[in-house]
Amino acid sequence: MSIDKRKSLWFVGAVALLGPLAVFSGAPSASAADCGYLFDDFSYSSSSDSTLAAHGWTPRSYAGGPGVPGATWSPNSITFPTSGGQKVMQLTASTDGTGAGTNQAELYSTQKRYFEGTYASRVRFTDTPAGGNDGDHINETFFTISPLNGDLDPTYSELDISEYLPNGGWGETGPINYQTTWYTYRADPWYADNVHSEQRSSLAGWHDLVATVAGGHVRYYIDGVLVGDHSGKFYPRQTMTINWNLWFIDTAAHTGGLSTYIQQVDWVLFAKNQALTPAQVTAKAAAYRSSGSTFTDTVDATGGCTSPTTPPTTTPTTPPTSQPTTPPPAGNCATAPEWAFATVYTGGQTVKHERSRYGDPNGPASGEGKHLWRARYWTQGSEPGWTQQWEDLGRC
């Protein structure tokens, strides 16, 4: 999405490599029972291939942001050539320096159904155009996102797993790459509430991009190296779509005639309710490939992994620095207060709440009735029943 990092309210620098992540408590390992996976190696003929839609992908065709006003988003900008002996998904974007002469590309999952677990994609970034003069403020991305239901929507969730700007943009010189985890934003006047990490070096070539959403933390990896660890209120609060897009931040740096850029995607993998290590991701993708499987989708399958219960291994970035030494006694449905979005809860506190149907507290209720919930650790703005910060103590 179109953002100005200079106006972000939070910043986290790149962090050092940590140890491997555990699979969620109560969930099988990556080699055990199927917890729910999506894998696609993009073996399609074109953006109009009926199998592409049947597998849950939509090439963008509607107008609007992000990017250059008046630009076209065309399904024809999504192709599936062969690279290194494998089919890949290719996004192509071009500009002549005008809105009418700018074409951008995006592919996204049709359904908003991805939440906690592991997101991974093998992506080829490029530093130079395939044709024309270099220097445009191009953005090459892999991200997940939910709709913004009004200004400063407190349930908004977005993970920019990579936004690569080879020539800079947003007032920055390139190359620069961002990982950004969003709490919310307002478009006019612009107000961004997020946290981000960044790398200031070229990422031209193929890279394995991994993000794990587990235990109150979103951890970002590039080629097995941990480059960002975001937590606190920025942890996602609802299901999201999976997206890639290639677009121009502006045309201020454009020179000459038409310039054309490409971005390629080899495969995508989502592991539901599992925090896979980058090595496990690579092995899982290779296993699909070696078995001849070009597509699998068991994300909505019943059984397998349960909701995650493992607390974070480190203190979230935004909670108070001191924690109560003795958690408050658990309440019951008669004494526990109703859960409130804006209230801060610490480990051991209890509330009663009927979770929403779609992960939006302002949306319809699930119909499951109120349950008693106990906070596992500091939390604010995380809905019981949708986020692992809460332990379900049973129906009231």
Side-chain angles (χ1 to χ4, degrees), residues 15-150:
V15 294
L17 178 63
L18 299 180
L21 297 178
V23 176
F24 290 141
S25 176
S29 69
S31 61
D34 188 348
C35 304
Y37 287 95
L38 170 74
F39 174 78
D40 199 335
D41 76 350
F42 299 109
S43 295
Y44 304 105
S45 60
S46 70
S47 62
S48 59
D49 188 334
S50 60
T51 308
L52 183 69
H55 286 173
W57 301 111
T58 299
R60 179 172 172 176
S61 60
Y62 62 91
V68 177
T72 298
W73 297 84
S74 172
N76 293 330
S77 297
I78 306 291
T79 56
F80 298 92
T82 298
S83 175
Q86 297 284 354
K87 279 278 197 174
V88 299
M89 185 259 290
Q90 180 168 293
L91 300 91
T92 302
S94 60
T95 187
D96 63 3
T98 69
T102 299
N103 290 278
Q104 304 176 139
E106 179 170 354
L107 186 78
Y108 59 92
S109 62
T110 309
Q111 291 185 310
K112 183 180 78 73
R113 60 182 183 137
Y114 304 99
F115 188 37
E116 290 176 309
T118 301
Y119 300 83
S121 187
R122 183 164 175 79
V123 177
R124 180 191 171 209
F125 295 125
T126 55
D127 280 358
T128 57
N133 291 348
D134 196 4
D136 291 290
H137 293 156
I138 190 81
N139 193 352
E140 308 171 30
T141 78
F142 170 43
F143 65 103
T144 68
I145 195 169
S146 72
L148 181 77
N149 297 312

Side-chain angles (χ1 to χ4, degrees), residues 368-379:
E368 299 169 356
K370 290 183 180 179
H371 284 226
L372 184 66
W373 306 89
R374 180 165 56 203
R376 293 192 172 94
Y377 44 87
W378 185 98
T379 182

Side-chain angles (χ1 to χ4, degrees), residues 261-279:
Y261 297 80
I262 65 169
Q263 173 186 344
Q264 294 179 334
V265 181
D266 189 13
W267 50 258
V268 63
L269 175 74
F270 173 73
K272 181 180 180 181
N273 286 353
Q274 293 183 93
L276 303 184
T277 65

Side-chain angles (χ1 to χ4, degrees), residues 2 12 23 32 46 125 134 168 202-203 217 222 259 299-300 305 352:
S2 179
V12 171
V23 176
S46 70
F125 295 125
D134 196 4
S202 172
L203 287 180
H217 287 250
I222 299 177
S259 294
V299 172
D300 295 330
C305 294
K352 54 178 176 270

Side-chain angles (χ1 to χ4, degrees), residues 134-341:
D134 196 4
D136 291 290
H137 293 156
I138 190 81
N139 193 352
E140 308 171 30
T141 78
F142 170 43
F143 65 103
T144 68
I145 195 169
S146 72
L148 181 77
N149 297 312
D151 288 347
L152 305 180
D153 174 12
T155 67
Y156 179 72
S157 300
E158 178 180 351
L159 312 176
D160 295 331
I161 299 169
S162 263
E163 286 191 305
Y164 181 53
L165 283 56
N167 296 318
W170 294 317
E172 295 282 356
T173 57
I176 186 169
N177 187 58
Y178 293 106
Q179 297 78 39
T180 307
T181 308
W182 289 80
Y183 180 68
T184 193
Y185 76 96
R186 180 183 61 217
D188 189 18
W190 179 251
Y191 179 95
D193 195 349
N194 61 46
V195 60
H196 81 269
S197 305
E198 63 186 50
Q199 301 82 47
R200 294 179 177 271
S201 60
S202 172
L203 287 180
W206 286 103
H207 298 280
D208 292 341
L209 310 177
V210 176
T212 59
V213 180
H217 287 250
V218 181
R219 293 181 170 97
Y220 298 96
Y221 298 83
I222 299 177
D223 298 330
V225 177
L226 182 65
V227 293
D229 185 343
H230 304 166
S231 58
K233 71 175 185 178
F234 303 102
Y235 195 78
R237 292 160 299 285
Q238 62 170 298
T239 55
M240 299 168 286
T241 59
I242 295 175
N243 310 57
W244 302 262
N245 61 20
L246 181 66
W247 52 280
F248 296 92
I249 295 172
D250 54 48
T251 57
H254 183 78
T255 60
L258 188 70
S259 294
T260 302
Y261 297 80
I262 65 169
Q263 173 186 344
Q264 294 179 334
V265 181
D266 189 13
W267 50 258
V268 63
L269 175 74
F270 173 73
K272 181 180 180 181
N273 286 353
Q274 293 183 93
L276 303 184
T277 65
Q280 287 176 312
V281 166
T282 301
K284 190 70 176 177
Y288 281 122
R289 279 268 173 84
S290 63
S291 69
S293 177
T294 60
F295 177 82
T296 188
D297 184 358
T298 59
V299 172
D300 295 330
T302 58
C305 294
T306 59
S307 297
T309 58
T310 303
T313 56
T314 58
T315 305
T317 57
T318 56
T321 55
S322 61
Q323 299 289 339
T325 56
T326 303
N332 54 51
C333 288
T335 61
E338 296 282 348
W339 173 74
F341 184 91

